[in-house]
Amino acid sequence: MASPAPALEILVREPDGFTVWSGPPYPPGSSPPQKLPKTPCSATSFSADGTRLLATVASASATVYDCRTLAVVRVFELPGLLAAALSPTGTYLQTFQKSSSPQEKNVTVWHVDTATALYQHFQKSMSKATWPMVQFSADESVACRMMPNEIQFLDPKDFTKGIVSKIRMPGIAAMQLATAPGSHVAGFVSEAKGVPASVQIFSSSKDAQNQVVARRSFFRCSTVQLLWNKGSTGLLVLAQADVDKTNQSYYGETKLHYLTTDRAFEGMVPLKKDGPVHDVQWSSSGSEFAVVYGFMPAKATIFNKKCNPLLELGEGPYNTIRWNPKGRFIVLAGFGNLPGDMAFWDYSEKKLVAKTKAEWSVSSEWSPDGRYFMTATTAPRLQIDNGIKIFDHNGSLQFKKMFEKLYQADWKPEAPERFGDIADLTTSLSSLKIEETKKQVSAQGSKPGQTSSKAPAQTAQKPSAYRPPHSKGSAELQDKLFGGLAPTGGEMSKNALRNKKRREKQKEKKAGEASGSPADES
């Protein structure tokens, strides 16, 4: 007999602390049940497998909870604590503390159950890009860290062995261990003195670490994101340059490269539109990836692992793509400085299911069972209109809750395999929902005081979205993005207002001349 699917849970953090909600569906008008009293903290995060939860208090402590019972497993008192992270299955806790001297080792890997310090080293500084310092594979069988000019491997079964092997990489600036499985590691070397930047892939196996498995070199790159697929056979490299030498983009220049461990492909992803790469994501199977790219309106394409295009998702005001964990549904969205448009696609049917909106969204993610899509508007990015929205897989809004101030909203991770597939019934239900939505939209369009669904809602107290200098005043761009409607809700510029007055005066003058009484006699 198959074990029952786990219950969905949501972590919610406000200024006075965090709590855990039971997941949807919720009865209409009800508040989500809280599974944990609100607990003060500075930051919270789940282990990758969702078995444990970490809550930290800055410069003071780290507390690990068991997610099944929400009971405290261990409290670590850590003066000067700056950062903390759980390993993928929650076996280890990694911490970074203030240090007054190099003799004081400030990065520690603790065994959570025994509170034993298994490994320590000194680190002068830490950034978001280099934390956590020690990276683990998903099953915690492989562990490594980046140090000047090399990647060092540790034995998670026995940290007392120290460094068990090394890969020399002079000038290494970033690295990413493949996690499922931890068979390979990728390192990035910055451009220097006319030598191009490069990404190199090595085997994690001690006996095969001396040979480069795959390599890609390129100029005009200051930072990279290294994105491994499930199966650890493909690596996407999103290369970013701070300055776009073609002067086409205010945000610099981005290029997407792709390498495979069998060397079947090493090169740039063939994107059909000029402009930045806004977002890229692998499917849960690791056999396809989706990219949103190009100057607005952006284009979205799905590629297979041979880097051949499989499906075009059209164009629109999008900069975000989210593939649900079951691989069936995809959300294309325009968040941040875009109006919040969302397009729900059924990938198995290769069709658009619905379009809707979630304005001002800062974070967004599918539930582990692939049935719900949650968006959140959070501080400090936005200080007003903080809240959570949960949509069904067909784009219909299921739940909404506003907060005075919200810092974080995350689904508790679960293995997607533990959930059943969404019933085939959803296909017919989706088409019914689309018809209902169309009727509602057309009915709303005739009501006074309601804004068009094509344009962002106009609210006096909301700050207008920031737009880079190169896009300001681009009538063609506004036309494509908002269907000819000005995003400011119809307010005229000074020039347009002056021209309108001039036209009205000319009309009055002609009318006056026709009646024999000049309009300027008064």
Side-chain angles (χ1 to χ4, degrees), residues 376-409:
T377 303
T378 56
R381 175 76 178 268
L382 288 174
Q383 299 291 342
I384 58 168
D385 296 321
N386 284 193
I388 292 170
K389 290 180 181 176
I390 297 176
F391 298 84
D392 207 342
H393 58 272
N394 57 22
S396 59
L397 183 63
Q398 299 293 305
F399 173 78
K400 178 180 177 180
K401 182 174 173 63
M402 303 304 289
F403 293 79
E404 188 67 36
K405 192 159 281 190
L406 175 67
Y407 286 131
Q408 184 182 359

Side-chain angles (χ1 to χ4, degrees), residues 248 255 271-278 293-298:
Q248 287 183 291
K255 299 289 182 190
L271 303 177
K272 295 179 182 176
K273 188 170 187 178
D274 290 338
V277 176
H278 304 287
Y293 59 96
F295 295 116
M296 292 294 163

Side-chain angles (χ1 to χ4, degrees), residues 5-294:
L8 295 175
E9 292 178 10
I10 299 172
L11 169 74
V12 177
R13 181 164 63 90
E14 297 173 75
D16 55 346
F18 79 98
T19 186
V20 176
W21 291 354
S22 294
Y26 305 124
S30 66
S31 290
Q34 289 192 5
K35 303 191 73 173
L36 184 75
K38 201 170 281 184
T39 308
C41 68
S42 305
T44 48
S45 60
F46 287 105
S47 60
D49 68 349
T51 58
R52 286 182 167 175
L53 170 64
L54 170 66
T56 58
V57 175
S59 299
S61 66
T63 304
V64 180
Y65 295 81
D66 182 330
C67 285
R68 285 166 298 183
T69 60
L70 289 175
V72 173
V73 177
R74 184 73 59 187
V75 178
F76 294 82
E77 300 296 337
L78 300 161
L81 179 67
L82 297 174
L86 286 169
S87 60
T89 66
T91 308
Y92 309 107
L93 170 70
Q94 190 173 164
T95 60
F96 177 77
Q97 293 165 270
K98 282 180 186 172
S99 178
S100 53
S101 69
Q103 285 73 40
E104 193 180 336
K105 294 179 178 179
N106 59 341
V107 174
T108 308
V109 176
W110 308 84
H111 191 278
V112 172
D113 291 337
T114 63
T116 309
L118 301 174
Y119 167 79
Q120 288 184 302
H121 77 258
F122 170 76
Q123 191 77 27
K124 187 176 180 181
S125 60
M126 180 270 293
S127 70
K128 193 176 179 182
T130 59
W131 180 257
M133 308 287 183
V134 178
Q135 296 183 16
F136 290 89
S137 59
D139 61 2
E140 298 179 352
S141 63
V142 181
C144 60
R145 67 172 190 174
M146 182 180 77
M147 293 302 280
N149 303 317
E150 61 187 25
I151 298 170
Q152 300 178 346
F153 286 81
L154 303 151
D155 183 355
K157 296 186 184 69
D158 187 0
F159 279 98
T160 59
K161 290 180 183 175
I163 308 304
V164 292
S165 63
K166 299 175 184 179
I167 295 172
R168 283 288 295 168
M169 274 195 81
I172 184 170
M175 74 155 204
Q176 188 61 55
L177 175 68
T179 60
S183 55
H184 294 84
V185 63
F188 166 68
V189 176
S190 304
E191 186 177 338
K193 296 177 182 175
V195 179
S198 67
V199 169
Q200 299 168 53
I201 296 175
F202 295 86
S203 169
S204 296
S205 169
K206 187 178 179 181
D207 301 326
Q209 282 177 357
N210 295 327
Q211 266 193 321
V212 177
V213 174
R215 179 191 177 103
R216 174 80 177 151
S217 299
F218 37 84
F219 284 103
R220 296 209 306 271
C221 174
S222 43
T223 58
V224 293
Q225 287 181 51
L226 303 169
L227 307 162
W228 282 102
N229 69 338
K230 183 180 179 181
S232 305
T233 57
L235 174 74
L236 287 166
V237 180
L238 185 56
Q240 172 87 35
D242 295 333
V243 178
D244 180 5
K245 292 192 175 180
T246 65
N247 290 323
Q248 287 183 291
S249 175
Y250 177 82
Y251 296 108
E253 184 182 9
T254 51
K255 299 289 182 190
L256 187 62
H257 305 268
Y258 178 49
L259 298 86
T260 57
T261 52
D262 62 1
R263 292 201 166 183
F265 192 97
E266 285 179 25
M268 279 179 62
V269 177
L271 303 177
K272 295 179 182 176
K273 188 170 187 178
D274 290 338
V277 176
H278 304 287
D279 199 9
V280 56
Q281 190 182 26
W282 283 102
S283 70
S284 55
S285 67
S287 56
E288 311 103 338
F289 61 91
V291 191
V292 188
Y293 59 96

Side-chain angles (χ1 to χ4, degrees), residues 416-457:
E417 308 83 59
R418 297 186 65 191
F419 299 93
D421 287 326
I422 298 172
D424 295 334
L425 187 63
T426 56
T427 308
S428 54
L429 278 174
S430 297
S431 56
L432 283 172
K433 290 271 185 185
I434 295 168
E435 290 305 314
E436 284 173 23
T437 309
K438 282 179 181 173
K439 285 175 188 173
Q440 286 171 3
V441 169
S442 58
Q444 285 174 357
S446 60
K447 290 180 186 176
Q450 290 215 355
T451 53
S452 162
S453 63
K454 288 184 182 178

Side-chain angles (χ1 to χ4, degrees), residues 503-515 517-520:
R503 284 194 298 272
E504 285 171 354
K505 277 188 178 181
Q506 285 172 348
K507 280 182 185 176
E508 284 174 20
K509 191 175 179 181
K510 285 177 183 175
E513 285 170 354
S515 62
S517 56
D520 55 355

